[in-house]
Amino acid sequence: MSINSGSWNHSRNGNSKSSINKTHNSSINLNPRSSLSSSNVSVKSNKSSSSATSSLRRSSPASLSSAKNDAAVLGRVRVAVRLRPRNAEELVADADFADCVELQPELKRLKLRKNNWDSDTYEFDEVLTEFASQKRIYEVVAKPVVESVLDGYNGTIMAYGQTGTGKTYTLGQLGEEDTAGRGIMVRAMEDILAGIRLDTDTVLISYFQLYMETIQDLLNPSNDNISIMEDPKSGDVSLPGASCVEIKDQKSFLELLRLGEAHRFATNTKLNTESSRSHAILMVHVRRSVKDRDSALPNENGSSSHVKNLKPSVVRKGKLVVVDLAGSERIDKSGSDGHALEEAKSINLSLSALGKCINALAENSAHVPVRDSKLTRLLRDSFGGTARTSLVVTIGPSSRHRGETASTIMFGQRAMKVENMLKIKEEFDYKSLSRKLDIQLDKLMAESERLQKAFQDRIDQIDKEAQDRVSDAERKYADALEEERLKYQKDYMEAVKKLEEQWAINQRKQSNEASTSGAKHDMSVKSCTREVHANEEVTEVKRLLQSEKLLRKAAEDEASNLKMQLAQSKKQETAANSEMLKLHQMLKDEANQREKLEREIAMLQGQLLQLSFEADETRRRLDNGTSKVHVEVDTQVTQVQGVQPQTDDAGNEDKSSVAKLFEQVGLQKILSLLEAEDADVRIHAVKVVANLAAEETNQEKIVEAGGLTSLLNLLRSSEDETIHRVAAGAIANLAMNETNQELIMAQGGVSLLSVTATKAEDPQTLRMIAGAVANLCGNDKLQAKLRGEGGIKALLGMVRFGHPDVLAQVARGIANFAKCESRASTQGFRTGRSLLIEDGALPWIVHNSNNEASSIRRHIELALCHLAQHEANAKDMINGGALWELVRISRDCSRDDIRSLARRTLGSSPSFQAELRRLNVDH
């Protein structure tokens, strides 16, 4: 006998199998914004008790200077209950029995009948009947949470209830044939895509399932063991190993949901024809940019010009988590057996752990057991954290399942007592601001150069025009003076010549008159005549002098005009000089501003050099003690772990200095100095990056900003061994992260490290390179590629110096590689003999298996044990003398776990047993 979900029964592709006639539509006109602006912060009792609400005003987009990031608002978990209609089986089997649940949606209340005359009453935030539409469910339960996510808050939507009560229908229905049947996931993504700008904002989704306490990627089924990472400072939970896909439209989102649902585990039970056997979790990351208005800034003349205010744009990050829990069930009712029984036990254990956490939060307990299950670890932000959480509990009407229905209702009642501290997540987009500043600086420099060139061209033009005008005026003035002088000289000579001729005539006449003995009368007449002629001559000379005066005055007037033209030319030259001085002042101001920027850059470089020097001093002190890359070896595990060195007060002060520089200068500026022309600046910059890479919290930022690529480029292009040593140390720290390991391999990191190792002369450089390769050796997925690019041979080649630190890192890498090979052979992925043996590592392993240094000996002993676990290696190990070392380890090893592993390995290998019997050796 199976219990289906009536009109909500659906297949995994989202198609509805049956429908039910609705007598009325109970949807209510609801303003979703109003539901967001208030949240109930009071604690409800299990029975019918009054509830008080407090207003939660929506935050407006403002700058981070208001400290809104630090402000927190109480937000209680909101719980809605949804009743599933009777299915076909219940209509027949329970025809003579009344429903165990009575709903009072107008009072937000339900009654759970104990018998015909007694019942318990419970209140919820929303009570939804079996006739409530999918749209109303979304608007009441999910839409306020989605709007909070768009405003920069974290949000969680979760469905809880017995198997077959409609959780997957409520959350994951695709509604391909009937759009009215779309579930919360589809409707939430529609609202998110409608509320963002695709050109500036991003939406990323991950879809995974928690099956048998193992997290599996529904978008990439091969990724079937994802680990959970927690930020030690903020407590945020993340899954760096899960697929993260960017969504641009609703169609691609629906395709991803179909793909994920196809990979989800489901089976047929007596309670549900297609019961989910895993908890499905959809995680949506929304990143929105908040645009600031342009402000008008006054220019030098006092007038306002529209210049963009160079403030960093605000980025809001919200995360929406939609959780479709697997249904709780009783084994006797579901009929589960075999593997399905184990699945049911795992589901009930995780739901029980979730219930314990909610009980502890509701009772304000000092200890909340969030680490009892991976489900509670994933939901630690949803209950008692910073997320706005809405829970929909689904129940059935059948009295046969009254116990499960009561348990579900009590779960919802306890969840209503949990209060979260809602915090908005905003940050400055410093990368965008840096790009804007760089662009503006380039524009200013180009404009300055253009103005300087135009200014110089204008000066040359004005100078040339002034010189041409002065030369022309001087030439005209000289020509006019010469012309007047010649004219006056000619007139003067003509007048003198005429007077001389007249005087000669008069002399001849006087001579003739003196020689003649004429009468006195004639003499007087002649005398009168001479007097008249003399007067006429004087009058003529006066007239000529007057004419000469007039000509001289005209020449003087012409000279005055020329002087006026010359003065005007000089005024124009003065104006040109004034404009030239003004342009000189503008250039001087631009030069001052450039000098100021250069001084600031020089100051920052000085700080960088000082901090790098302090980091060098700290590194020298630490090199005598412990190294950056440490290894801890468990009983049978050789996983590399990055352990921060135990430093003294000076080391802590250096770290704080580097962190202060990181905050003031920014990672992008520090990385840009890796390409500086000055070799000293480049060396100090790579030391600062290496110190930052030692902190796990900085590694992701360094990789995202291109730091890993820059470090690899330094290994490729630089010949300085100091740079090689520090860059290899930074790469070794980054290689402790699995995601970074794949990036290092994809960019040819092993080949670069191998080439650098062949050139290195300093043992400390080889130690850093060996540490980086050893970290890569611990990745199962990269073994074939690492060996193909010469990683094993590079490790073996680095033992040429015999330095114990280098040998310890080489031994660690070989142990990691052997451990991964052993695991692959156990799982059936590898059948041939070890790649280590093929590359000739066995003689060195045997030779150093009893090394005096404990760190080297411990790794070699583990490597021998792991190689011996694969029968294909037995012949080579017997011939190479490794069997005797295994016997020695099983007897004399100081560590109990390694000694026990060696004994088990010898006892499980037929080849080893036969050889020991042949030699009559008792192990």
Side-chain angles (χ1 to χ4, degrees), residues 614-767:
E614 295 174 357
D616 285 343
E617 292 297 327
T618 304
R619 188 182 296 276
R620 294 191 193 100
R621 292 196 299 271
L622 295 178
D623 283 340
N624 296 327
T626 178
S627 62
K628 283 290 180 184
V629 182
H630 292 257
V631 181
E632 291 184 359
V633 184
D634 293 335
T635 302
Q636 297 189 20
V637 180
T638 57
Q639 181 67 31
V640 178
Q641 297 179 352
V643 180
Q644 296 299 329
Q646 300 297 325
T647 61
D648 53 9
D649 294 339
N652 293 330
E653 183 178 354
D654 292 334
K655 286 186 178 180
S656 62
S657 301
V658 174
K660 183 177 181 182
L661 174 67
F662 176 67
E663 294 176 358
Q664 292 178 350
V665 179
L667 180 59
Q668 197 66 43
K669 293 296 184 182
I670 296 175
L671 293 178
S672 66
L673 294 177
L674 295 177
E675 301 176 0
E677 296 181 359
D678 191 341
D680 292 335
V681 173
R682 206 162 52 244
I683 291 173
H684 291 297
V686 73
K687 289 179 180 179
V688 172
V689 174
N691 288 327
L692 291 173
E695 297 291 337
E696 185 178 355
T697 55
N698 298 331
Q699 292 178 2
E700 183 178 357
K701 299 177 183 177
I702 291 174
V703 174
E704 288 181 353
L708 176 58
T709 303
S710 300
L711 292 171
L712 293 174
N713 288 335
L714 280 177
L715 290 181
R716 184 182 293 109
S717 60
S718 177
E719 299 295 334
D720 190 289
E721 186 158 358
T722 302
I723 291 180
H724 289 172
R725 181 174 64 255
V726 183
I731 294 172
N733 287 325
L734 293 176
M736 290 188 292
N737 182 280
E738 183 177 350
T739 302
N740 296 341
Q741 291 171 1
E742 297 177 359
L743 293 176
I744 292 171
M745 293 295 298
Q747 298 183 29
V750 172
S751 300
L752 283 174
L753 292 170
S754 302
V755 173
T756 307
T758 60
K759 300 178 182 178
E761 299 294 337
D762 182 9
Q764 296 304 320
T765 303
L766 290 175
R767 178 172 69 90

Side-chain angles (χ1 to χ4, degrees), residues 220 222-225 241 738 741-742 745 776 778-786 820:
N220 183 13
S222 62
N223 192 8
D224 58 357
N225 190 12
E738 183 177 350
Q741 291 171 1
E742 297 177 359
M745 293 295 298
L776 296 174
N779 193 316
D780 295 348
K781 303 176 183 178
L782 305 179
Q783 284 209 308
K785 187 174 182 181
L786 185 140
C820 293

Side-chain angles (χ1 to χ4, degrees), residues 842-912:
L842 186 60
W844 186 86
I845 294 173
V846 173
H847 179 72
N848 288 273
S849 61
N850 199 16
N851 195 291
E852 295 179 357
S854 61
S855 58
I856 301 175
R857 185 175 64 255
R858 184 171 67 254
H859 291 304
I860 294 301
E861 290 173 346
L862 276 173
L864 281 172
C865 291
H866 290 309
L867 287 174
Q869 289 179 355
H870 190 24
E871 188 66 19
N873 301 330
K875 182 178 180 181
D876 292 295
M877 295 185 70
I878 292 172
N879 295 333
L883 177 58
W884 297 110
E885 295 300 328
L886 279 172
V887 173
R888 181 191 60 78
I889 293 170
S890 67
R891 294 174 178 177
D892 303 332
C893 182
S894 59
R895 290 190 51 162
D896 295 338
D897 54 348
I898 299 179
R899 189 167 61 251
S900 299
L901 180 60
R903 290 175 179 174
R904 289 198 305 271
T905 303
L906 288 172
S908 62
S909 172
S911 300
F912 289 159

Side-chain angles (χ1 to χ4, degrees), residues 124-263:
F124 289 92
D125 293 302
E126 292 291 340
V127 174
L128 304 165
T129 68
E130 63 269 31
F131 305 107
S133 64
Q134 291 281 76
K135 178 180 179 182
R136 172 162 171 73
I137 299 295
Y138 172 73
E139 290 179 345
V140 169
V141 175
K143 191 164 187 176
V145 178
V146 173
E147 291 174 346
S148 295
V149 171
L150 290 173
D151 286 338
Y153 294 91
N154 288 345
T156 302
I157 304 168
M158 188 169 71
Y160 178 90
Q162 183 190 9
T163 297
T165 53
K167 298 182 297 300
T168 303
Y169 174 80
T170 301
L171 296 180
Q173 180 78 346
L174 299 183
E176 293 178 315
E177 296 182 357
D178 183 10
T179 56
R182 291 169 298 168
I184 287 177
M185 290 182 182
V186 179
R187 294 178 185 268
M189 184 55 65
E190 288 177 351
D191 282 358
I192 290 174
L193 292 175
I196 65 169
R197 295 186 299 272
L198 294 178
D199 55 341
T200 59
D201 304 337
T202 57
V203 178
L204 302 174
I205 72 161
S206 298
Y207 196 21
F208 50 90
Q209 65 179 351
L210 178 60
Y211 175 72
M212 302 284 286
E213 283 301 301
T214 301
I215 300 177
Q216 302 177 358
D217 197 338
L218 290 174
L219 304 182
N220 183 13
S222 62
N223 192 8
D224 58 357
N225 190 12
I226 303 173
S227 59
I228 301 175
M229 294 191 65
E230 299 180 12
D231 191 329
K233 294 182 179 179
S234 63
D236 290 342
V237 176
S238 61
L239 300 172
S243 301
C244 200
V245 183
E246 184 173 1
I247 298 298
K248 292 293 186 180
D249 52 49
Q250 189 72 7
K251 182 179 178 181
S252 60
F253 175 69
L254 291 175
E255 292 176 355
L256 290 176
L257 280 187
R258 280 194 293 268
L259 175 64
E261 286 298 316
H263 295 143

Side-chain angles (χ1 to χ4, degrees), residues 354-402:
L354 178 61
K356 290 179 181 179
C357 290
I358 290 180
N359 288 342
L361 290 170
E363 296 172 1
N364 293 323
S365 175
H367 172 66
V368 180
V370 294
R371 305 191 69 84
D372 288 356
S373 170
K374 289 186 177 180
L375 176 63
T376 54
R377 290 180 64 190
L378 289 170
L379 298 179
R380 67 180 303 171
D381 190 47
S382 304
F383 294 95
T386 61
R388 178 186 294 276
T389 302
S390 285
L391 171 66
V392 54
V393 294
T394 58
I395 60 176
S398 176
S399 57
R400 290 182 298 164
H401 305 296
R402 185 188 181 282

Side-chain angles (χ1 to χ4, degrees), residues 741-742 745-746 750-751 754 773 776-793 816-818 820-822 824 829-831 833-836 838-839:
Q741 291 171 1
E742 297 177 359
M745 293 295 298
V750 172
S751 300
S754 302
V773 178
L776 296 174
C777 287
N779 193 316
D780 295 348
K781 303 176 183 178
L782 305 179
Q783 284 209 308
K785 187 174 182 181
L786 185 140
R787 188 250 185 168
E789 295 185 5
I792 303 302
K793 292 184 178 180
N816 286 342
F817 200 95
C820 293
E821 284 191 329
S822 174
F829 296 134
R830 181 168 182 81
T831 56
R833 65 174 185 163
S834 170
L835 299 178
L836 290 172
E838 291 182 358
D839 280 356

Side-chain angles (χ1 to χ4, degrees), residues 512-533:
N512 291 331
E513 290 177 355
S515 64
T516 315
S517 58
K520 291 182 179 180
H521 180 70
D522 292 335
M523 291 176 65
S524 61
V525 171
K526 288 180 180 179
S527 178
C528 290
T529 302
R530 285 196 298 272
E531 186 176 356
V532 171
H533 283 296

